[in-house]
Amino acid sequence: MISFWEQKWFFDYDTIIIGGGLSGLSTAASLLEKQPDHKVLILERNLIPTGASTKNAGFVCFGSLTEIYDDIQKMGEADAVQVVKKRYEGIQALRKRLGDEKLDLKFDGGYEVISEKELPILEQIEFVNKLLRPIFDEDVFSVCNEKIEEFGFNPQVVKALIGIKFEGSIDTGKTVSHYIDYVQRLGARILTGANVLKYKHKNGHVDVK
């Protein structure tokens, strides 16, 4: 039987977030930065966050040339540029919250490998750079073919190498660890080993089990 006090302090929340990885922690941070009195609970099924957030390579990216050009073809110039802008703003928001040292952030740039069938994309570099200049104030993409052999790629397979300025890497384990501290300081409660089985809308609220 659940007591009145247990119900009040351990079961009733304004928002319950399922998953304690980067997406869940970012959601909690955004809520609590805007509404400090909001009662937020994060439910993580493992004892520590061991999902995709701490298993990915830690790339800090906003889209390669081929990805962005493909988005332009599918959604139009304006919407594609807005997607890049939001991704880049997300990187800046994370830096502002935790600081570069706690992210172990390194802006070393990135590269995209281009095969023979993808060579026509090189003709779009100037076009895409011009579209993105209002966001970055300078060119993002450049041809770096001199690095193909330096990086040990087979020139018969890799026909071009595109440099991507403003990309980098983070230590995802270190980032998530400090992010947990950050949202807890804001007032979020995190329960680990809490595997969510189902949720149900009921009388204006949501029951989570």
Side-chain angles (χ1 to χ4, degrees):
M1 181 177 177
I2 298 173
S3 74
F4 168 83
W5 304 112
E6 290 167 341
Q7 182 68 42
K8 179 179 179 181
W9 291 102
F10 295 100
F11 288 89
D12 288 338
Y13 295 90
D14 298 312
T15 300
I16 295 176
I17 298 168
I18 301 172
L22 289 172
S23 295
L25 294 169
S26 296
T27 301
S30 296
L31 282 169
L32 290 167
E33 286 167 353
K34 295 176 181 177
Q35 303 179 62
D37 295 330
H38 209 66
K39 292 180 65 178
V40 174
L41 173 67
I42 300 174
L43 298 176
E44 168 57 45
R45 65 180 173 182
N46 299 303
L47 293 179
I48 60 171
T50 56
S53 294
T54 50
K55 286 184 171 58
N56 68 46
F59 296 127
V60 176
C61 53
F62 44 81
S64 66
L65 177 63
T66 56
E67 290 171 336
I68 293 172
Y69 188 71
D70 186 58
D71 284 344
I72 292 170
Q73 302 308 301
K74 291 178 178 177
M75 62 180 70
E77 294 178 12
D79 287 345
V81 169
Q82 279 301 306
V83 168
V84 174
K85 184 173 184 288
K86 288 180 179 179
R87 290 171 181 164
Y88 189 62
E89 288 173 346
I91 295 169
Q92 304 312 312
L94 185 59
R95 296 177 69 189
K96 183 178 179 181
R97 281 172 178 160
L98 301 185
D100 292 357
E101 191 280 327
K102 290 181 179 178
L103 300 171
D104 199 14
L105 176 63
K106 297 179 177 66
F107 276 117
D108 299 324
Y111 297 91
E112 181 177 14
V113 172
I114 301 299
S115 65
E116 186 167 0
K117 70 177 183 179
E118 294 171 317
L119 282 174
I121 194 64
L122 300 182
E123 301 172 6
Q124 306 300 329
I125 289 179
E126 185 176 350
F127 165 66
V128 176
N129 276 338
K130 185 177 179 180
L131 284 180
L132 299 183
R133 205 163 286 137
I135 301 173
F136 298 98
D137 295 323
E138 52 185 298
D139 289 346
V140 175
F141 301 107
S142 60
V143 177
C144 301
N145 288 345
E146 71 280 0
K147 291 187 177 291
I148 292 176
E149 292 191 16
E150 178 185 335
F151 290 161
F153 292 127
N154 183 346
Q156 300 302 314
V157 178
V158 178
K159 296 300 183 180
L161 197 65
I162 299 174
I164 309 171
K165 202 170 184 179
F166 308 111
E167 287 199 345
S169 64
I170 61 173
D171 180 325
T172 55
K174 184 176 183 179
T175 297
V176 169
S177 178
H178 285 293
Y179 221 158
I180 289 171
D181 294 340
Y182 178 77
V183 299
Q184 286 180 323
R185 286 197 301 271
L186 291 178
R189 176 168 290 171
I190 301 176
L191 295 181
T192 60
N195 188 26
V196 175
L197 301 176
K198 61 182 179 179
Y199 65 89
K200 182 179 181 181
H201 293 272
K202 182 180 179 181
N203 299 327
H205 66 272
V206 179
D207 285 343
V208 179
K209 295 184 178 180

